[in-house]
Amino acid sequence: MTNNNQLSRRALLATTAAGLAAASLPPLPAFAAAPPTTFKHGAFEVTVVSDGHLVLPTTMLAPDAKPDERAALLKTAGQSGDTYNAPTNVTLLRSASDLILIDMGSGDRFMPTAGKLWDNLKSAGIDKTKITKVIFTHGHPDHLWGAVDELDDLVLPKASFHVAAAEWDFWNGDNATRGLPAERAGFVTGAKRNYAAIKERVTMFKAGDEIVPGIQVISTPGHTQGHVSLAVAGGDGLIVGGDVLTHPIISFRHPEWKPTADHVPDQAVATRKMLLDRLAKDRSKLIGYHLPYPGLGRVERKDGAYRYVAEG
Ligand SMILES: [Zn+2]
């Protein structure tokens, strides 16, 4: 009897303790992520969703810069060591009639730290099957490879896809490996694989086109041959800049430095300066794909260069 009583008491205590512990702890999230940043802009509700991050060598940012000068600037951005984490911020625009995704993240074949977009959308309560349109800024893995799943099937089989004709032609053409280091030849294979998957549902666009009313294509070549940004109408403007401005300090203070990720470095420098000038002049908002999450801010002129002022 005594034993039984003790046992059941112990069992009861254990159960109660477990119950209390469970009640006092928040439910375990699938990943530690705050609710995504959302704001109104013109006719759109804008949401920035993380795809995770990339781990990249710091030398990629500016191989031509003096190492100690580069290191000092990286330190300002809270980065030290041989590698740094580059966030990947995917923009979602909701209008009265469309749910539009700008870029699709890395998918599951690029880096283990990236490819989190679909999980993050889900936990934000956004049903990916409701996405009607996808616009790509360019064909690099961290922007395009999320288009297909592990079986090469489309993740969003009902969406329409929108690609710059110049970018499509570059990756599908014979010159795709030109300007790319040999170790990144896989980028070409991956771009072709993903473009092939969307081929039946793709619409080509060029600079100046409106994808939907209020979303206009700006030509911002250099990072890749057909790289584009998107201007979203409303207020002082909002530019979803893709990979024109990738680092919160270096891209603004030294737009003339040449990250190795840029396919056409001189053109990328000219594009960076053009976009910085426009953003500072118009006081437009910017969403930068690789700027610290959510990558939302404005650009100010400072001491003959520029400064990124984060918002949100
Ligand atoms: Zn990128």
Side-chain angles (χ1 to χ4, degrees):
M1 271 312 270
T2 313
N3 273 352
N4 274 349
N5 275 347
Q6 278 176 342
L7 273 178
S8 50
R9 187 157 173 268
R10 191 171 293 135
L12 180 68
L13 279 172
T15 310
T16 311
L20 282 173
S24 64
L25 286 171
L28 278 176
F31 44 87
T37 294
T38 297
F39 60 98
K40 287 285 292 175
H41 181 85
F44 301 93
E45 182 189 71
V46 183
T47 304
V48 183
V49 185
S50 171
D51 187 49
H53 66 269
L54 310 180
V55 181
L56 300 172
T58 50
T59 49
M60 261 186 78
L61 285 166
D64 48 345
K66 289 189 194 120
D68 36 341
E69 196 180 353
R70 183 177 61 224
L73 289 183
L74 286 170
K75 205 174 164 195
T76 315
Q79 295 158 344
S80 58
D82 294 337
T83 62
Y84 75 105
N85 293 347
T88 44
N89 307 315
V90 180
T91 302
L92 188 70
L93 299 161
R94 188 188 297 274
S95 71
S97 52
D98 273 305
L99 189 56
I100 302 163
L101 194 64
I102 302 183
D103 291 330
M104 294 186 84
S106 291
D108 54 10
R109 283 180 240 191
F110 188 44
M111 286 188 188
T113 52
K116 316 295 183 195
L117 175 64
W118 310 125
D119 282 345
N120 286 350
L121 276 175
K122 192 176 178 186
S123 76
I126 299 164
D127 178 357
K128 68 174 188 265
T129 66
K130 299 283 198 302
I131 293 168
T132 54
K133 293 182 170 64
V134 178
I135 309 170
F136 291 104
T137 60
H138 64 297
H140 273 162
D142 50 320
H143 301 253
L144 173 63
W145 288 13
V148 299
D149 63 16
E150 67 278 12
L151 299 173
D152 285 347
D153 289 330
L154 285 179
V155 175
L156 303 177
K158 291 180 189 159
S160 65
F161 297 89
H162 302 262
V163 176
E167 189 71 357
W168 181 275
D169 291 346
F170 167 71
W171 290 104
N172 286 309
D174 295 334
N175 289 336
T177 47
R178 189 180 294 174
L180 268 187
E183 69 269 18
R184 277 190 262 156
F187 284 20
V188 180
T189 317
K192 285 182 172 162
R193 179 178 68 236
N194 283 272
Y195 281 159
I198 64 173
K199 198 174 177 185
E200 305 300 319
R201 308 189 60 80
V202 79
T203 303
M204 299 297 163
F205 61 71
K206 59 185 187 323
D209 287 357
E210 268 198 326
I211 308 295
V212 298
I215 303 182
Q216 190 175 35
V217 177
I218 312 171
S219 176
T220 48
H223 179 68
T224 59
Q225 281 72 357
H227 186 283
V228 298
S229 302
L230 285 313
V232 184
D236 292 330
L238 163 69
I239 290 179
V240 182
D243 281 6
V244 176
L245 301 159
T246 52
H247 190 274
I249 308 283
I250 289 176
S251 305
F252 299 81
R253 200 172 297 179
H254 287 289
E256 76 283 8
W257 285 5
K258 295 173 180 171
T260 57
D262 290 346
H263 287 202
V264 192
D266 289 337
Q267 191 179 38
V269 168
T271 289
R272 248 189 311 280
K273 290 178 174 173
M274 177 278 292
L275 196 65
L276 284 165
D277 183 63
R278 174 171 170 167
L279 286 163
K281 205 180 284 172
D282 294 351
R283 305 272 310 132
S284 307
K285 288 182 175 175
L286 163 73
I287 297 176
Y289 197 80
H290 296 297
L291 297 177
Y293 181 86
L296 173 67
R298 292 182 197 262
V299 177
E300 288 178 354
R301 275 181 207 284
K302 186 176 182 279
D303 305 331
Y306 298 89
R307 190 167 78 100
Y308 172 62
V309 185
E311 283 182 21

